[in-house]
Amino acid sequence: MKKLPKGLRITIECVLIVIIGGIATNLVDRIPTEPKVKNIIYLIGDGMGLSHITSAQIMQDYEPLNMERAEYVGLCKTYSSNSLVTDSAAAGTALSTGYKTKNGMIGMTPDSVAHPSIREKAELAGLATGIIATYPVTNATPAAFVGHVPHRNMEDEIATYYISNEVDVVIGGGSRRFDQRADSVNLFNTLRDKGYTIAFNMDDIKDVTSGKVMTLLNDDSMPTIEHGRDVNFLADATTKALEILTNNSRKNKKEGFFLMVEGSQIDGWAHKHNLSGMIEEIKDLDAAAKVAFDYADKHPGTLVVITADHETGGLTIVNSNRKFDITDHKVDFQWSTGGHTGGMVPIFAYGTGAEHFTGVFENTDLPRIMCRLLGLNED
Ligand code: MG
Ligand code: ZN
């Protein structure tokens, strides 16, 4: 090819640089600046493995669950620092602090060093925070988002972390750890002094739209749905918590919130091999997922992550011609253990930043990614 005179070459190069530069600028302009994650809704199904979710799908003839709206899915390894089969304390600690620990320990590594949970870091940064569970709010999973104790059975002590922390919204069971304590202290009085609204049924907080609220609906665990809990309890509690957190966060020094919602009793029924009871609990969590996803649709900057702490029961779905008491779907639901198993669990992510949750993860990765997205220190 004939060589172009030097002057013309330079001119063409300049024109090209201007054109390419212009296109690049244009493209950059057209990429919407990704809204930063401001709000995180973290739903944890205790014991909710893939077969548990599949069972719920089968029971509604494969009508999609709300969780299936998730834009990104991943898998999560659940083992703890001393066992390939975790308990909820070690798993809760991993999912809240980003550190593996020994089974039974809450919010600390095996060397007894406490590590802050993502909720505590969010609170410290000025975000509004909330905890919802149907077990006592001092039980392992919620405990890992508020306290630091060497053993999960230290529930009186875990309750005192609701005094030293300031969780904006707490809804769940377990009032006896606050007013029937070994030390005879009534923690509800202390919380009232701190400005909390204390309530013992959802009706009493119907008109509460902001401020600090603790609603404990049972002495101990709330009843399961099979034993009379409202079928929409978690969805209603999530709706109420989101209302309060949204309002509180607007008044805070940093706008945004972190909410953990636990489907606590999926695990309990799986331990007992009660399939229908377990599915009702999954559907309650799934209804809360719809509330969370809908909120994320209306509030850009909201990330929803759903996962489990471990699988419970070793549930498998096998072929069968038998007709079963609860279904004629020609499958048999078999359980291989009364305990937990070491299988991976699913992650469903939706909303701003959801794309970061596709792949295979350690359970400790989840709070670390969430912290990064919220602009918090991940350690
Ligand atoms: Mg739990
Ligand atoms: Zn369990």
Side-chain angles (χ1 to χ4, degrees):
M1 190 179 124
K2 201 180 156 200
K3 242 183 151 196
L4 291 167
K6 198 178 174 209
L8 186 57
R9 240 168 40 220
I10 291 170
T11 312
I12 290 172
E13 279 164 12
C14 286
V15 168
L16 280 176
I17 287 166
V18 170
I19 291 172
I20 291 167
I23 291 169
T25 316
N26 239 334
L27 279 178
V28 170
D29 283 348
R30 268 187 280 144
I31 295 170
T33 34
E34 194 197 4
K36 204 169 150 331
V37 175
K38 288 188 297 186
N39 312 314
I40 292 184
I41 309 170
Y42 198 2
L43 293 97
I44 301 176
D46 199 307
M48 184 177 71
L50 266 182
S51 291
H52 303 58
I53 294 167
T54 312
S55 305
Q57 292 168 330
I58 289 172
M59 289 308 171
Q60 52 187 37
D61 294 323
Y62 280 103
E63 270 300 305
L65 295 165
N66 293 303
M67 301 182 199
E68 295 176 46
R69 262 169 73 190
E71 298 152 308
Y72 294 90
V73 293
L75 291 168
C76 185
K77 301 174 196 173
T78 63
Y79 65 93
S80 72
S81 75
N82 71 332
S83 175
L84 295 183
V85 178
T86 190
D87 80 329
S88 292
T93 300
L95 291 172
S96 65
T97 68
Y99 287 91
K100 299 255 186 197
T101 193
K102 290 201 279 198
N103 286 5
M105 294 182 90
I106 299 281
M108 48 175 63
T109 32
D111 52 6
S112 297
V113 173
H115 295 275
S117 66
I118 178 172
R119 193 212 56 78
E120 289 169 289
K121 284 184 261 189
E123 181 187 319
L124 213 65
L127 274 71
T129 70
I131 290 177
I132 298 174
T134 66
Y135 269 170
V137 295
T138 50
N139 191 264
T141 312
F145 286 84
V146 71
H148 308 274
V149 291
H151 203 276
R152 60 185 289 171
N153 63 11
M154 300 166 69
E155 291 192 53
D156 272 12
E157 191 167 341
I158 291 164
T160 65
Y161 280 93
Y162 283 96
I163 305 293
S164 51
N165 286 258
E166 282 207 0
V167 190
D168 293 68
V169 187
V170 183
I171 303 175
S175 64
R176 73 190 175 98
R177 302 296 179 179
F178 293 79
D179 63 359
Q180 299 161 53
R181 300 165 50 81
D183 62 10
S184 304
V185 177
N186 186 323
L187 296 185
F188 290 133
N189 291 337
T190 320
L191 284 164
R192 281 192 194 97
D193 290 344
K194 288 183 72 172
Y196 272 80
T197 300
I198 304 292
F200 301 100
N201 65 69
M202 291 301 283
D203 268 358
D204 286 347
I205 58 165
K206 214 171 55 224
D207 300 323
V208 178
T209 57
S210 67
K212 311 257 186 225
V213 183
M214 178 179 274
T215 307
L216 298 187
L217 301 135
N218 204 284
D219 277 8
D220 202 351
S221 294
M222 295 184 64
T224 58
I225 290 173
E226 187 156 302
H227 291 140
R229 193 175 85 243
D230 277 356
V231 282
N232 268 324
F233 170 75
L234 282 178
D236 292 345
T238 302
T239 302
K240 176 47 78 178
L242 288 175
E243 179 187 17
I244 295 171
L245 291 173
T246 305
N247 290 331
N248 285 6
S249 89
R250 288 190 180 130
K251 295 177 199 151
N252 282 352
K253 62 177 175 182
K254 189 170 173 189
E255 196 179 330
F257 62 77
F258 174 86
L259 171 65
M260 193 285 293
V261 182
E262 187 197 19
S264 316
Q265 289 166 319
I266 298 164
D267 176 70
W269 281 137
H271 279 290
K272 293 184 176 134
H273 301 173
N274 180 327
L275 190 80
S276 58
M278 181 203 78
I279 288 172
E280 285 176 332
E281 299 297 328
I282 289 181
K283 289 181 84 164
D284 194 15
L285 185 69
D286 191 54
K290 179 183 187 320
V291 170
F293 289 176
D294 289 350
Y295 185 94
D297 285 342
K298 290 195 203 95
H299 300 82
T302 302
L303 166 68
V304 184
V305 176
I306 308 169
T307 192
D309 52 354
H310 52 74
E311 194 270 358
T312 303
L315 179 60
T316 52
I317 302 161
V318 296
N319 247 325
S320 170
N321 288 318
R322 256 198 311 133
K323 185 163 176 161
F324 296 94
D325 52 349
I326 49 167
T327 176
D328 56 359
H329 290 89
K330 303 278 196 280
V331 286
D332 195 0
F333 299 92
Q334 292 181 354
W335 305 85
S336 65
T337 174
H340 301 165
T341 68
M344 290 196 289
V345 291
I347 304 165
F348 300 96
Y350 190 87
T352 309
E355 68 277 13
H356 296 283
F357 294 87
T358 176
V360 179
F361 297 93
E362 292 287 349
N363 49 7
T364 48
D365 292 330
L366 272 61
R368 288 172 182 273
I369 298 168
M370 289 182 206
C371 280
R372 252 180 272 152
L373 292 171
L374 282 175
L376 304 171
N377 186 347
E378 66 180 82
D379 283 318

